[in-house]
């Protein structure tokens, strides 16, 4: 048994060494990818549920890796945060998204994810405004998606940054609402314009009709505070219908469209405008 334990430990060590090797390779790759422009925006449609019209897109990062192909953000966003490159990644994506949005109808919004760690950068607001200015995108077309963890500290730099940006028309959405330690009471004090109801609620509601009551309560609560609502993870027509019926403003999910490259999105928009 002792020998077996030793064997297991060796195996463990070998696995650890392998994991560390892979991580450092990925880390080196990521630094290179940022310079080489391999991190690209994908766009997922946001639909106004009452009219069924497209209102804009959420920008979702993808890594066009020369060897591994298209990589999902879960594989590199946490790493980018850890090695202090999430700000670079954000700036590149924002510049690319603004350049793309310039080619689209002017009412199309873009929604960007911002990591909590980015708020440590006092230049964040001015960099965003500069990019908007340089690319000629009106601030009201930009929404920032943040999570509650960015706002836990009441006098944090996040509040300052977001307040500055909201003054010129940028809007803020509270992402993944309902998953963390969502504090309903404090929601009215936060510098936000919208709540994004997490996919989990829509999934649960699909399993048990009673759960729609929770979703409806969140929508009503948000509206009482003058906040707009977006529901994520809409995969079927029934979910879209019910969400519209409970008064949810915007819908997002595979039912309306998956995240797509800039080229596919532009072609789709051209088609949409023509019809
Ligand atoms: P998120 O912000 O909650 O984004 C929504 C995620 O749900 C996306 O996954 C999207 O592809 C997926 N999704 C959309 N509709 C459906 C649906 O109907 N069903 C299902 N099952 N999933 C759906 P994705 O693109 O893999 O992104 C995962 C997470 O990575 C995002 O979650 C966000 O937290 C993070 N992320 C993505 N891009 C960025 C970025 O540029 N910066 C930062 N900081 N985080 C990002
Ligand atoms: Ca998001
Ligand atoms: Ca989300
Ligand atoms: Ca999420």
């Amino acid at each position: 048994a002792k020998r077996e334990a030793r064997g297991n430990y060796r195996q463990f060590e070998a696995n650890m060494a392998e994991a560390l090797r892979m991580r450092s390779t990925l880390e080196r790759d990521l630094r290179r990818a940022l310079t080489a422009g391999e991190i690209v925006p994908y766009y997922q449609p946001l639909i106004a549920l009452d009219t069924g019209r497209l209102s804009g897109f959420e920008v979702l990062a993808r890594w066009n890796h020369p060897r591994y192909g298209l990589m999902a953000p879960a594989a590199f966003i946490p790493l980018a945060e850890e090695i202090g490159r999430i700000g670079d990644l954000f700036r590149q994506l924002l510049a690319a998204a603004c350049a793309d949005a310039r080619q689209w109808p002017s009412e199309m919004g873009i929604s960007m994810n911002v990591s909590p760690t980015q708020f440590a950068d006092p230049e964040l607001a001015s960099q965003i405004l500069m990019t908007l200015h340089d690319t000629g995108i009106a601030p009201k077309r930009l929404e920032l998606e943040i999570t509650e963890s960015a706002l836990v500290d009441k006098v944090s730099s996040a509040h300052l940054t977001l307040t500055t940006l909201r003054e010129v028309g940028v809007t803020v959405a509270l992402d993944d609402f309902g998953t963390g330690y969502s504090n309903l009471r404090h929601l009215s004090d936060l510098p936000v314009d919208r709540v994004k109801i997490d996919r989990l609620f829509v999934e649960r509601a699909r399993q048990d009709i009673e759960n729609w009551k929770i979703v409806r309560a969140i929508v009503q609560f948000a509206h009482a505070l003058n906040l707009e609502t977006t529901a994520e993870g809409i995969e079927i027509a029934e979910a879209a219908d019910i969400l519209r019926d409970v008064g949810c403003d915007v819908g997002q999910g595979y039912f309306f469209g998956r995240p797509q490259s800039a080229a596919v999105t532009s072609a789709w928009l051209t088609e949409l405008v023509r019809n």
Side-chain angles (χ1 to χ4, degrees), residues 44 58 61-62 73 93 113 115 175-176 199 232 235 253-254 259:
Q44 187 177 31
E58 177 170 0
R62 294 291 182 267
L93 275 186
N113 292 286
S115 290
D175 207 352
D176 301 343
R199 176 147 56 87
E232 308 179 325
E235 295 183 350
Y254 295 165

Side-chain angles (χ1 to χ4, degrees), residues 27-103:
E27 195 176 312
R28 202 189 49 223
D29 275 13
L30 182 57
R31 290 183 205 280
R32 196 216 55 233
L34 283 165
T35 351
E38 288 170 19
I39 311 285
V40 296
Y42 264 51
Y43 299 101
Q44 187 177 31
L46 300 166
I47 305 292
L49 289 171
D50 56 349
T51 58
R53 290 178 73 105
L54 179 69
S55 65
F57 298 91
E58 177 170 0
V59 181
L60 294 157
R62 294 291 182 267
W63 181 355
N64 230 329
H65 196 284
R67 266 186 304 146
Y68 308 137
L70 204 63
M71 279 167 66
F76 61 91
I77 293 285
L79 183 62
E81 287 171 344
E82 241 177 87
I83 66 173
R85 303 301 291 270
I86 192 72
D88 290 342
L89 191 151
F90 175 86
R91 284 187 287 277
Q92 290 192 10
L93 275 186
L94 178 65
C98 286
D100 288 334
R102 247 185 110 160
Q103 317 294 320

Side-chain angles (χ1 to χ4, degrees), residues 71-204:
M71 279 167 66
F76 61 91
I77 293 285
L79 183 62
E81 287 171 344
E82 241 177 87
I83 66 173
R85 303 301 291 270
I86 192 72
D88 290 342
L89 191 151
F90 175 86
R91 284 187 287 277
Q92 290 192 10
L93 275 186
L94 178 65
C98 286
D100 288 334
R102 247 185 110 160
Q103 317 294 320
W104 303 341
S106 64
E107 68 276 13
M108 292 297 142
I110 51 172
S111 214
M112 295 276 308
N113 292 286
V114 183
S115 290
T117 54
Q118 290 182 248
F119 291 103
D121 180 359
E123 307 280 285
L124 181 61
S126 58
Q127 282 165 355
I128 290 172
L129 294 177
M130 192 92 81
T131 303
L132 291 173
H133 180 265
D134 290 349
T135 52
I137 296 294
K140 68 172 191 328
R141 289 178 73 181
L142 177 67
E143 184 152 274
L144 300 177
E145 301 195 2
I146 61 163
T147 52
E148 272 170 312
S149 57
L151 293 168
V152 277
D153 186 359
K154 261 213 120 204
V155 287
S156 71
S157 55
H159 282 258
L160 192 68
T161 301
L162 295 174
T163 303
T164 306
L165 290 167
R166 287 175 83 221
E167 267 165 18
V168 297
V170 174
T171 56
V172 179
L174 196 56
D175 207 352
D176 301 343
F177 186 77
T179 55
Y181 33 93
S182 303
N183 191 330
L184 294 176
R185 198 164 55 85
H186 285 160
L187 197 53
S188 59
D189 299 332
L190 300 181
V192 301
D193 306 280
R194 170 187 307 281
V195 295
K196 289 193 82 170
I197 304 166
D198 196 75
R199 176 147 56 87
L200 209 71
F201 288 95
V202 178
E203 251 160 45
R204 276 198 205 128

